mmCIF file of all heavy atoms in Angstrom:
data_model
loop_
_atom_site.group_PDB
_atom_site.id
_atom_site.type_symbol
_atom_site.label_atom_id
_atom_site.label_comp_id
_atom_site.label_asym_id
_atom_site.label_seq_id
_atom_site.Cartn_x
_atom_site.Cartn_y
_atom_site.Cartn_z
ATOM 1 N N TYR L 1 -33.524 18.344 11.484
ATOM 2 C CA TYR L 1 -33.048 17.448 10.426
ATOM 3 C C TYR L 1 -32.169 18.196 9.426
ATOM 4 O O TYR L 1 -31.085 17.735 9.068
ATOM 5 C CB TYR L 1 -34.229 16.789 9.704
ATOM 6 C CG TYR L 1 -33.791 15.970 8.519
ATOM 7 C CD1 TYR L 1 -33.248 14.702 8.699
ATOM 8 C CD2 TYR L 1 -33.905 16.470 7.228
ATOM 9 C CE1 TYR L 1 -32.820 13.958 7.615
ATOM 10 C CE2 TYR L 1 -33.479 15.731 6.136
ATOM 11 C CZ TYR L 1 -32.938 14.471 6.336
ATOM 12 O OH TYR L 1 -32.512 13.742 5.259
ATOM 13 N N VAL L 2 -32.640 19.359 8.980
ATOM 14 C CA VAL L 2 -31.874 20.138 8.003
ATOM 15 C C VAL L 2 -30.535 20.562 8.590
ATOM 16 O O VAL L 2 -29.495 20.445 7.932
ATOM 17 C CB VAL L 2 -32.681 21.365 7.517
ATOM 18 C CG1 VAL L 2 -31.807 22.333 6.746
ATOM 19 C CG2 VAL L 2 -33.853 20.909 6.654
ATOM 20 N N GLU L 3 -30.542 21.049 9.820
ATOM 21 C CA GLU L 3 -29.290 21.489 10.438
ATOM 22 C C GLU L 3 -28.321 20.322 10.639
ATOM 23 O O GLU L 3 -27.119 20.472 10.461
ATOM 24 C CB GLU L 3 -29.574 22.187 11.766
ATOM 25 C CG GLU L 3 -30.231 23.543 11.574
ATOM 26 C CD GLU L 3 -30.711 24.191 12.859
ATOM 27 O OE1 GLU L 3 -30.748 23.508 13.911
ATOM 28 O OE2 GLU L 3 -31.064 25.381 12.809
ATOM 29 N N LYS L 4 -28.853 19.147 10.987
ATOM 30 C CA LYS L 4 -27.987 17.992 11.239
ATOM 31 C C LYS L 4 -27.511 17.323 9.953
ATOM 32 O O LYS L 4 -26.351 16.927 9.854
ATOM 33 C CB LYS L 4 -28.738 16.964 12.097
ATOM 34 C CG LYS L 4 -27.916 15.745 12.429
ATOM 35 C CD LYS L 4 -28.691 14.763 13.283
ATOM 36 C CE LYS L 4 -27.841 13.526 13.544
ATOM 37 N NZ LYS L 4 -28.631 12.419 14.039
ATOM 38 N N GLU L 5 -28.386 17.190 8.972
ATOM 39 C CA GLU L 5 -28.080 16.394 7.780
ATOM 40 C C GLU L 5 -27.781 17.188 6.519
ATOM 41 O O GLU L 5 -27.111 16.684 5.625
ATOM 42 C CB GLU L 5 -29.247 15.432 7.496
ATOM 43 C CG GLU L 5 -29.539 14.458 8.606
ATOM 44 C CD GLU L 5 -28.420 13.460 8.850
ATOM 45 O OE1 GLU L 5 -27.692 13.136 7.894
ATOM 46 O OE2 GLU L 5 -28.269 13.003 9.994
ATOM 47 N N LEU L 6 -28.290 18.417 6.419
ATOM 48 C CA LEU L 6 -28.197 19.149 5.154
ATOM 49 C C LEU L 6 -27.455 20.477 5.257
ATOM 50 O O LEU L 6 -27.371 21.207 4.275
ATOM 51 C CB LEU L 6 -29.602 19.378 4.577
ATOM 52 C CG LEU L 6 -30.438 18.115 4.343
ATOM 53 C CD1 LEU L 6 -31.824 18.473 3.855
ATOM 54 C CD2 LEU L 6 -29.744 17.182 3.365
ATOM 55 N N SER L 7 -26.928 20.809 6.423
ATOM 56 C CA SER L 7 -26.173 22.052 6.566
ATOM 57 C C SER L 7 -24.839 21.921 5.840
ATOM 58 O O SER L 7 -24.390 20.814 5.522
ATOM 59 C CB SER L 7 -25.923 22.350 8.051
ATOM 60 O OG SER L 7 -25.075 21.340 8.598
ATOM 61 N N SER L 8 -24.185 23.029 5.586
ATOM 62 C CA SER L 8 -22.879 22.993 4.912
ATOM 63 C C SER L 8 -21.879 22.107 5.643
ATOM 64 O O SER L 8 -21.238 21.256 5.010
ATOM 65 C CB SER L 8 -22.320 24.408 4.746
ATOM 66 O OG SER L 8 -23.104 25.132 3.845
ATOM 67 N N PRO L 9 -21.714 22.232 6.967
ATOM 68 C CA PRO L 9 -20.751 21.351 7.646
ATOM 69 C C PRO L 9 -21.112 19.864 7.500
ATOM 70 O O PRO L 9 -20.232 19.031 7.308
ATOM 71 C CB PRO L 9 -20.824 21.792 9.110
ATOM 72 C CG PRO L 9 -21.313 23.197 9.061
ATOM 73 C CD PRO L 9 -22.248 23.248 7.878
ATOM 74 N N ALA L 10 -22.406 19.537 7.584
ATOM 75 C CA ALA L 10 -22.821 18.139 7.456
ATOM 76 C C ALA L 10 -22.544 17.613 6.051
ATOM 77 O O ALA L 10 -22.048 16.492 5.879
ATOM 78 C CB ALA L 10 -24.303 17.994 7.788
ATOM 79 N N LEU L 11 -22.842 18.423 5.038
ATOM 80 C CA LEU L 11 -22.613 17.991 3.660
ATOM 81 C C LEU L 11 -21.126 17.879 3.347
ATOM 82 O O LEU L 11 -20.705 16.967 2.635
ATOM 83 C CB LEU L 11 -23.315 18.944 2.684
ATOM 84 C CG LEU L 11 -24.840 18.909 2.748
ATOM 85 C CD1 LEU L 11 -25.432 19.962 1.823
ATOM 86 C CD2 LEU L 11 -25.378 17.530 2.406
ATOM 87 N N ILE L 12 -20.327 18.786 3.897
ATOM 88 C CA ILE L 12 -18.871 18.715 3.698
ATOM 89 C C ILE L 12 -18.338 17.422 4.322
ATOM 90 O O ILE L 12 -17.532 16.711 3.703
ATOM 91 C CB ILE L 12 -18.171 19.953 4.282
ATOM 92 C CG1 ILE L 12 -18.496 21.179 3.419
ATOM 93 C CG2 ILE L 12 -16.662 19.743 4.405
ATOM 94 C CD1 ILE L 12 -18.100 22.503 4.038
ATOM 95 N N LYS L 13 -18.792 17.099 5.509
ATOM 96 C CA LYS L 13 -18.353 15.870 6.182
ATOM 97 C C LYS L 13 -18.722 14.643 5.347
ATOM 98 O O LYS L 13 -17.918 13.733 5.170
ATOM 99 C CB LYS L 13 -18.979 15.785 7.573
ATOM 100 C CG LYS L 13 -18.535 14.589 8.371
ATOM 101 C CD LYS L 13 -19.135 14.604 9.771
ATOM 102 C CE LYS L 13 -18.679 13.393 10.567
ATOM 103 N NZ LYS L 13 -19.234 13.397 11.914
ATOM 104 N N LYS L 14 -19.947 14.622 4.816
ATOM 105 C CA LYS L 14 -20.379 13.494 3.981
ATOM 106 C C LYS L 14 -19.528 13.390 2.719
ATOM 107 O O LYS L 14 -19.161 12.286 2.294
ATOM 108 C CB LYS L 14 -21.857 13.644 3.610
ATOM 109 C CG LYS L 14 -22.796 13.395 4.765
ATOM 110 C CD LYS L 14 -24.236 13.610 4.351
ATOM 111 C CE LYS L 14 -25.164 13.476 5.541
ATOM 112 N NZ LYS L 14 -26.571 13.611 5.172
ATOM 113 N N LEU L 15 -19.206 14.520 2.119
ATOM 114 C CA LEU L 15 -18.389 14.528 0.908
ATOM 115 C C LEU L 15 -16.982 14.011 1.188
ATOM 116 O O LEU L 15 -16.454 13.170 0.463
ATOM 117 C CB LEU L 15 -18.339 15.941 0.310
ATOM 118 C CG LEU L 15 -17.569 16.106 -0.988
ATOM 119 C CD1 LEU L 15 -18.151 15.229 -2.085
ATOM 120 C CD2 LEU L 15 -17.583 17.564 -1.416
ATOM 121 N N VAL L 16 -16.384 14.490 2.264
ATOM 122 C CA VAL L 16 -15.034 14.039 2.640
ATOM 123 C C VAL L 16 -15.044 12.544 2.935
ATOM 124 O O VAL L 16 -14.143 11.813 2.520
ATOM 125 C CB VAL L 16 -14.499 14.858 3.840
ATOM 126 C CG1 VAL L 16 -13.234 14.238 4.409
ATOM 127 C CG2 VAL L 16 -14.247 16.302 3.413
ATOM 128 N N ASN L 17 -16.073 12.055 3.634
ATOM 129 C CA ASN L 17 -16.182 10.624 3.919
ATOM 130 C C ASN L 17 -16.317 9.812 2.625
ATOM 131 O O ASN L 17 -15.720 8.737 2.491
ATOM 132 C CB ASN L 17 -17.352 10.335 4.851
ATOM 133 C CG ASN L 17 -17.085 10.784 6.267
ATOM 134 O OD1 ASN L 17 -15.943 10.961 6.679
ATOM 135 N ND2 ASN L 17 -18.145 10.984 7.034
ATOM 136 N N ALA L 18 -17.103 10.324 1.683
ATOM 137 C CA ALA L 18 -17.258 9.631 0.398
ATOM 138 C C ALA L 18 -15.920 9.579 -0.341
ATOM 139 O O ALA L 18 -15.555 8.541 -0.915
ATOM 140 C CB ALA L 18 -18.315 10.331 -0.461
ATOM 141 N N TRP L 19 -15.183 10.679 -0.341
ATOM 142 C CA TRP L 19 -13.848 10.682 -0.974
ATOM 143 C C TRP L 19 -12.937 9.661 -0.301
ATOM 144 O O TRP L 19 -12.182 8.967 -0.960
ATOM 145 C CB TRP L 19 -13.217 12.061 -0.902
ATOM 146 C CG TRP L 19 -13.821 13.070 -1.832
ATOM 147 C CD1 TRP L 19 -14.546 12.838 -2.951
ATOM 148 C CD2 TRP L 19 -13.731 14.481 -1.702
ATOM 149 N NE1 TRP L 19 -14.927 14.021 -3.525
ATOM 150 C CE2 TRP L 19 -14.427 15.049 -2.777
ATOM 151 C CE3 TRP L 19 -13.133 15.323 -0.774
ATOM 152 C CZ2 TRP L 19 -14.532 16.416 -2.964
ATOM 153 C CZ3 TRP L 19 -13.240 16.690 -0.951
ATOM 154 C CH2 TRP L 19 -13.931 17.231 -2.036
ATOM 155 N N GLY L 20 -13.006 9.567 1.021
ATOM 156 C CA GLY L 20 -12.189 8.606 1.754
ATOM 157 C C GLY L 20 -12.522 7.175 1.359
ATOM 158 O O GLY L 20 -11.616 6.353 1.167
ATOM 159 N N ARG L 21 -13.817 6.880 1.219
ATOM 160 C CA ARG L 21 -14.221 5.531 0.805
ATOM 161 C C ARG L 21 -13.737 5.243 -0.611
ATOM 162 O O ARG L 21 -13.255 4.142 -0.894
ATOM 163 C CB ARG L 21 -15.736 5.377 0.896
ATOM 164 C CG ARG L 21 -16.248 5.258 2.328
ATOM 165 C CD ARG L 21 -17.709 4.841 2.391
ATOM 166 N NE ARG L 21 -18.606 5.719 1.660
ATOM 167 C CZ ARG L 21 -19.135 6.845 2.151
ATOM 168 N NH1 ARG L 21 -18.858 7.214 3.387
ATOM 169 N NH2 ARG L 21 -19.946 7.587 1.425
ATOM 170 N N LEU L 22 -13.847 6.211 -1.502
ATOM 171 C CA LEU L 22 -13.378 6.013 -2.875
ATOM 172 C C LEU L 22 -11.868 5.800 -2.913
ATOM 173 O O LEU L 22 -11.370 4.943 -3.646
ATOM 174 C CB LEU L 22 -13.766 7.208 -3.754
ATOM 175 C CG LEU L 22 -15.237 7.296 -4.126
ATOM 176 C CD1 LEU L 22 -15.528 8.620 -4.828
ATOM 177 C CD2 LEU L 22 -15.629 6.134 -5.018
ATOM 178 N N ALA L 23 -11.139 6.574 -2.124
ATOM 179 C CA ALA L 23 -9.682 6.424 -2.082
ATOM 180 C C ALA L 23 -9.313 5.046 -1.547
ATOM 181 O O ALA L 23 -8.402 4.390 -2.063
ATOM 182 C CB ALA L 23 -9.063 7.519 -1.213
ATOM 183 N N ALA L 24 -10.039 4.575 -0.527
ATOM 184 C CA ALA L 24 -9.763 3.250 0.033
ATOM 185 C C ALA L 24 -10.050 2.160 -0.992
ATOM 186 O O ALA L 24 -9.278 1.208 -1.119
ATOM 187 C CB ALA L 24 -10.590 3.028 1.293
ATOM 188 N N GLN L 25 -11.130 2.301 -1.739
ATOM 189 C CA GLN L 25 -11.453 1.319 -2.781
ATOM 190 C C GLN L 25 -10.370 1.293 -3.845
ATOM 191 O O GLN L 25 -9.953 0.233 -4.299
ATOM 192 C CB GLN L 25 -12.803 1.636 -3.424
ATOM 193 C CG GLN L 25 -13.984 1.344 -2.544
ATOM 194 C CD GLN L 25 -15.301 1.792 -3.178
ATOM 195 O OE1 GLN L 25 -15.313 2.424 -4.239
ATOM 196 N NE2 GLN L 25 -16.406 1.478 -2.524
ATOM 197 N N SER L 26 -9.920 2.477 -4.231
ATOM 198 C CA SER L 26 -8.874 2.584 -5.252
ATOM 199 C C SER L 26 -7.587 1.931 -4.757
ATOM 200 O O SER L 26 -6.932 1.183 -5.485
ATOM 201 C CB SER L 26 -8.628 4.053 -5.600
ATOM 202 O OG SER L 26 -7.584 4.162 -6.533
ATOM 203 N N THR L 27 -7.230 2.175 -3.516
ATOM 204 C CA THR L 27 -6.028 1.584 -2.925
ATOM 205 C C THR L 27 -6.151 0.070 -2.879
ATOM 206 O O THR L 27 -5.205 -0.651 -3.213
ATOM 207 C CB THR L 27 -5.789 2.146 -1.510
ATOM 208 O OG1 THR L 27 -5.647 3.560 -1.610
ATOM 209 C CG2 THR L 27 -4.551 1.561 -0.873
#
C-alpha cells in the first residue's frame, strides 16, 4: 500500500493530476 499509494512517484502523480484538474476548472 505504501509503495503504491504513498511513495514519492505516487504522490507526485497525484499532485500533477490535482493540478491538471484545477487548471481544467479554471479554464
Side-chain angles (χ1 to χ4, degrees):
Y1 174 78
V2 168
E3 289 172 348
K4 181 180 178 195
E5 300 294 331
L6 303 177
S7 65
S8 292
L11 293 176
I12 289 168
K13 183 177 180 180
K14 288 178 185 183
L15 182 59
V16 169
N17 288 339
W19 287 339
R21 286 191 304 275
L22 286 172
Q25 287 175 354
S26 177
T27 301

